[in-house]
Amino acid sequence: MKLRLVAVALVCVLLATGAWAQAIIGSPRAAAMGGAGIGVADDAAAWYQNPAGLAALNVPCREGAEYATQAVFSYANTDDDDAYELNVSGWNPSQLFGYGAGYVNAGGIFHASGVGFGAGFKNMPLSVGFNVINDRPDGDATYLNAGVMYRISQGEGKEPIRFGLAIDDLTDRSDMGPFYHIGIGWKPVN
């Protein structure tokens, strides 16, 4: 198990040595995690970062409730403009299905809005997701993106190790796409 984990971590480090940049949009938690947010992606901003995370949101769900929802509003005052975003997500734990939507105003630099869907597979630690994002108000830059998340169990009562891959601009509408983002995340254990 440790050898497999070291091998995967080494591959992630080698792949991440390229000149890849990730726009940090999402919850303050996702911004603080940087690229590792691609691997965790379990909060309301998962619709943007890695839509596969929508299949396993970290949203408490009452027993018997069909859907659990979460909404997060973030605001920051910058020198020139105000930056804010609103993310809303929900999921159905029994169906391993989640959805999310949001709007981001990145301090006058750009705007982004979109929706995402994620689905998991029964008896498999794998989930996939897709999102559609428009990153300009005039509607001329709409992208289709995908995400994959794989979870490795650390035993009962412990959070799984999560590996995430997000692929931006699947339709290659920009001159530079598609872009690949890799992240790994896990909660430390004693």
Side-chain angles (χ1 to χ4, degrees):
M1 174 69 180
K2 286 184 181 182
L3 181 60
R4 188 171 27 161
L5 179 60
V6 169
V8 169
L10 182 59
V11 168
C12 287
V13 168
L14 290 175
L15 290 173
T17 57
W20 296 349
Q22 174 187 349
I24 299 178
I25 298 174
S27 66
R29 174 179 169 245
M33 294 180 76
I38 298 294
V40 177
D42 65 352
D43 62 8
W47 71 270
Y48 183 87
Q49 270 203 302
N50 185 349
L54 292 168
L57 289 173
N58 187 17
V59 181
C61 188
R62 291 189 327 259
E63 194 170 324
E66 189 170 340
Y67 279 92
T69 58
Q70 179 182 56
V72 176
F73 177 77
S74 302
Y75 174 82
N77 189 321
T78 64
D79 291 338
D80 299 327
D81 288 307
D82 294 335
Y84 57 90
E85 64 182 284
L86 174 64
N87 297 302
V88 179
S89 63
W91 76 302
N92 182 329
S94 65
Q95 298 297 318
L96 298 174
F97 174 79
Y99 60 90
Y103 174 78
V104 178
N105 176 346
I109 299 169
F110 71 95
H111 303 266
S113 59
V115 297
F117 302 93
F121 301 95
K122 295 228 185 262
N123 302 322
M124 287 182 64
L126 179 71
S127 59
V128 297
F130 293 94
N131 65 17
V132 176
I133 295 175
N134 180 302
D135 70 359
R136 292 191 194 129
D138 56 9
D140 67 348
T142 302
Y143 303 106
L144 174 65
N145 309 306
V148 177
M149 187 175 293
Y150 185 77
R151 295 172 296 281
I152 297 176
S153 175
Q154 295 192 79
E156 193 167 328
K158 297 179 184 174
E159 288 289 322
I161 298 170
R162 296 178 182 218
F163 296 95
L165 169 66
I167 306 166
D168 295 344
D169 193 13
L170 285 174
T171 54
D172 198 14
R173 292 196 45 167
S174 71
D175 295 335
M176 302 177 294
F179 300 98
Y180 301 90
H181 307 284
I182 298 171
I184 179 174
W186 69 91
K187 289 188 178 178
V189 294
N190 293 334

